Each structure stands twice: as structure tokens, then as C-alpha cells.
Amino acid sequence: MDIGLLAFPSDITMHPAELAREAEDRGFESVFYPEHSHLPVDSGPWPGGPVIPDHYSHGLDLFAALGAAAAVTTRIKLGSGICLVPQHDAIWLARQVATIDHLSNGRFVFGIGFGWNKPELADHGVVFADRRDM
């Protein structure tokens, strides 16, 4: 059985490069980082409970965090868990994905999703009901 980690990289959590290096040293198969571009004040409850954890408003950029992790590891798989595709320009996103996959020597796993945070999606010009189609 392969076991991986999911951690929300932020300026108040363990550095994403340090976490990936430590996970690799301990034999984990993968490390996945999620993303949120920002946390609107009116986000309301999140899927995990009534209060959104503090680290959500301190989140780092997903692809920068993955790049830092790729630079200090050689074996562990690195993934997006999840990338909020509707919030990205398709061409820039394809470039970011290809870059991380290249920098990690093919260790990137692209996990995608469509988002739950209505105000965050709206700030990106995404109509909540249309987010899956995007």
C-alpha cells in the first residue's frame, strides 16, 4: 500500500519544501498540496465544518509550493490536491502543469476540481452553476 500526505501550504504551516523532503525521507509515496487563490470575507462555512481554518487565508501559491518541493526531492510524487481549474486561464494553467512536471522529472500528479467557495469563484468571474462545465 502506498501512503501519501495532503497538506495546505501557508506561511503559518511547515514550509512545502521541508514537508516534501521529510515525507520523502520517511518513505511516503506522495505529497499533495491544495489551492485557494484567496479567502473572501463572506465565504461562510466550508465543507469541513462551521469555521474555516486560519491557514486558508495564509495559503501559498500551489505551483510555487510544488516547485519548491520538486527542487529538494528526487523520488516522491508531487501533486495538486486539488487545482481549482475554473479559476485559471487554460493556457497559463497548461504551462504551469507542464513546467512542474518537467521540473519534477515526471513526478507530478494533476488532481483537479471545480471549487466550493462561491465568493472565491465569483471573484474569478466564474458562475457557480457553470464551474463544472469549465
Side-chain angles (χ1 to χ4, degrees):
M1 176 187 319
D2 293 325
I3 299 175
L5 301 176
L6 170 72
F8 197 101
S10 76
D11 64 352
I12 59 174
T13 61
M14 183 181 250
H15 191 284
E18 181 182 357
L19 177 66
R21 187 178 53 250
E22 294 293 335
E24 183 172 76
D25 289 347
R26 286 165 174 73
F28 284 91
E29 182 257 357
S30 56
V31 173
F32 284 80
Y33 299 132
E35 76 170 340
H36 281 282
S37 61
H38 64 295
L39 184 64
V41 175
D42 58 346
S43 291
W46 68 300
V51 179
I52 298 174
D54 284 341
H55 62 262
Y56 267 68
S57 60
H58 291 260
L60 302 178
D61 177 76
L62 167 64
F63 292 101
L66 289 168
V72 298
T73 58
T74 59
R75 178 197 52 79
I76 198 165
K77 292 179 185 174
L78 304 169
S80 56
I82 59 169
C83 174
L84 298 171
V85 173
Q87 296 181 5
H88 292 268
D89 173 83
I91 295 170
W92 280 111
L93 180 58
R95 182 179 179 154
Q96 290 171 303
V97 167
T99 298
I100 290 297
D101 193 54
H102 172 73
L103 293 176
S104 69
N105 294 314
R107 295 180 288 136
F108 179 60
V109 178
F110 191 32
I112 63 170
F114 45 79
W116 60 267
N117 191 314
K118 289 181 183 181
E120 178 185 9
L121 288 157
D123 289 346
H124 287 277
V126 176
V127 176
F128 190 76
D130 297 337
R131 71 195 193 284
R132 289 181 180 95
D133 294 336
M134 295 179 71

